[in-house]
């Protein structure tokens, strides 16, 4: 029953914030303004954004720009380097350091400069010295917890915490069973555990090639419109995060329609280990064969059909079905 209620709640949220109703309800709540909202951005792709293909954090900066233009006060605290697939893991490091990345991409360097946080961007690594090229990164969940409990209160005076945590924009989709290993979802989960509303957002229909700037921008636009819904900011009370997946976008194309989905129970690919001799195994990721038939209401099916998938992910893992 609880899951069904969540489905109804999110469906209502999406209809409210991402579609224009035929007739406005007199009881409809006023949309939420982002002006002055304190938002923490994190991800699992790292904060460097140095790779020309945009796979190592470019989506983070595209989203920061959109949020600041909407009036939010945005700070980035993310893992120092690529940490995909780390789920909700922690690094276990006894000491960590937070440092500015080597160079914020020039086109994004002036973003958020007039906001109170002045567009703070930090990456977190393990160790007591400033992060450098050889530093070992913390996990995405680590980055969020460190930001909430240490960095933001100390550096920005956000003693009451941010209003929202957004994890992303991730390079590649996070749907079906893949969410169990997703560092993007793990970072958002860490926020919900601490009582902060959270959205995880990913871009791209496939894992490769990485999303284009147009796809990142389309995902950022969906997030901005989604955040106008008052319901989104209350989901944390039910230990729920919102997971958004944006399909590939082409230059000049119309925004993809939004569909409420459930988390799929299939997978597009699987990791395999092939013996190579002397106890060694070659690790590879291969498409599932034969290709699976995805459930009609699943997030993966919607994404492959060209829809933006919006689904609720319950952080509370208690089984609510009948026990025999």
């Amino acid at each position: 029953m609880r899951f069904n209620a969540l489905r109804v709640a999110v469906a209502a949220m999406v209809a409210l914030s991402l579609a224009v109703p035929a007739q406005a309800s007199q009881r409809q709540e006023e949309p939420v303004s982002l002006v002055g909202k304190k938002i923490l951005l994190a991800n699992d792709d790292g904060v460097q954004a140095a790779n020309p293909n945009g796979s190592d954090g470019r989506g983070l900066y595209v989203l920061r720009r959109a949020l600041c233009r909407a009036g939010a006060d945005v700070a980035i605290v993310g893992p120092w380097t690529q940490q995909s697939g780390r789920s909700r893991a922690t690094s276990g490091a006894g000491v960590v350091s937070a440092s500015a990345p080597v160079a914020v991409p020039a086109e994004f360097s002036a973003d958020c400069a007039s906001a109170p946080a002045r567009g703070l961007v930090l990456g977190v690594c393990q160790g007591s010295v400033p992060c450098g090229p050889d530093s070992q990164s913390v996990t995405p969940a680590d980055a969020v917890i460190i930001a909430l409990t240490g960095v933001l209160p100390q550096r920005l005076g956000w003693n009451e915490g941010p209003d929202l945590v957004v994890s992303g924009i991730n390079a590649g989709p996070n749907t079906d069973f893949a969410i169990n290993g997703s560092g993007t979802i793990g970072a958002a989960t860490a926020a919900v555990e601490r009582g902060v509303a959270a959205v995880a957002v990913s871009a791209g229909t496939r894992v490769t090639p990485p999303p284009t700037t147009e796809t990142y921008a389309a995902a950022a636009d969906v997030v901005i419109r989604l955040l106008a819904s008052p319901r989104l900011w209350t989901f944390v009370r039910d230990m729920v995060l919102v997971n958004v997946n944006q399909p590939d976008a082409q230059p000049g194309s119309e925004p993809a329609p939004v569909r409420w989905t459930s988390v799929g129970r299939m997978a597009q690919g699987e990791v395999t280990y092939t013996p190579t001799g002397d106890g060694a195994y070659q690790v590879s990721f291969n498409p599932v064969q034969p290709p699976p038939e995805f459930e009609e209401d699943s997030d993966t099916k919607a994404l492959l059909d060209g829809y933006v998938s919006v689904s609720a992910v319950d952080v509370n893992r208690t089984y609510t079905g009948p026990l025999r």
Side-chain angles (χ1 to χ4, degrees), residues 16 25 36 40 65 78 96 109 138 150 158 164 173 175 193 196 204-205 232 234 258 260-261 282 285 317 321 324:
L16 170 66
S25 169
L40 168 66
R65 170 177 287 177
V96 302
S109 60
V138 300
W158 292 6
L164 176 76
T175 61
E193 290 173 355
V196 182
T205 307
L232 176 78
T234 65
V258 175
W260 157 246
T261 64
Q282 178 65 46
F285 183 82
R317 298 192 179 195
R324 295 185 182 276

Side-chain angles (χ1 to χ4, degrees), residues 85-181:
R86 298 301 300 274
S87 188
R88 175 57 180 82
T90 57
S91 63
V95 181
V96 302
S97 295
S99 303
V102 176
V104 172
E107 64 186 291
F108 302 111
S109 60
D111 292 343
C112 310
S114 61
R118 299 186 180 277
L120 178 72
V121 179
L122 295 173
V124 186
C125 64
Q126 301 183 44
S128 59
V129 299
C131 305
D134 298 324
S135 295
Q136 186 174 357
S137 182
V138 300
T139 69
D142 277 339
V144 168
I145 296 171
I146 292 162
L148 297 181
T149 61
V151 173
L152 299 181
Q154 188 263 326
R155 300 207 182 194
L156 298 180
W158 292 6
N159 295 312
E160 300 302 320
D163 298 299
L164 176 76
V165 170
V166 182
S167 179
I169 302 169
N170 182 67
N174 275 304
T175 61
D176 58 59
F177 288 153
I179 71 168
N180 292 325

Side-chain angles (χ1 to χ4, degrees), residues 7-36:
R7 292 189 58 166
V8 172
V10 178
M13 172 197 70
V14 173
L16 170 66
S17 61
L18 295 173
V20 179
Q23 294 181 340
S25 169
Q26 294 182 350
R27 299 180 60 187
Q28 179 172 306
E29 297 174 289
E30 290 295 321
V32 174
S33 171
L34 291 182
V35 176

Side-chain angles (χ1 to χ4, degrees), residues 15-78:
L16 170 66
S17 61
L18 295 173
V20 179
Q23 294 181 340
S25 169
Q26 294 182 350
R27 299 180 60 187
Q28 179 172 306
E29 297 174 289
E30 290 295 321
V32 174
S33 171
L34 291 182
V35 176
K37 290 287 188 184
K38 295 180 291 186
I39 297 179
L40 168 66
L41 289 188
N43 70 352
D44 70 358
D45 292 329
V47 299
Q48 306 301 328
N51 194 326
N53 70 13
S55 63
D56 63 340
R58 183 176 182 82
L60 192 70
Y61 294 100
V62 173
L63 182 55
R64 182 181 72 149
R65 170 177 287 177
L67 289 168
C68 286
R69 285 179 174 175
D73 190 15
V74 182
I76 290 176
V77 182

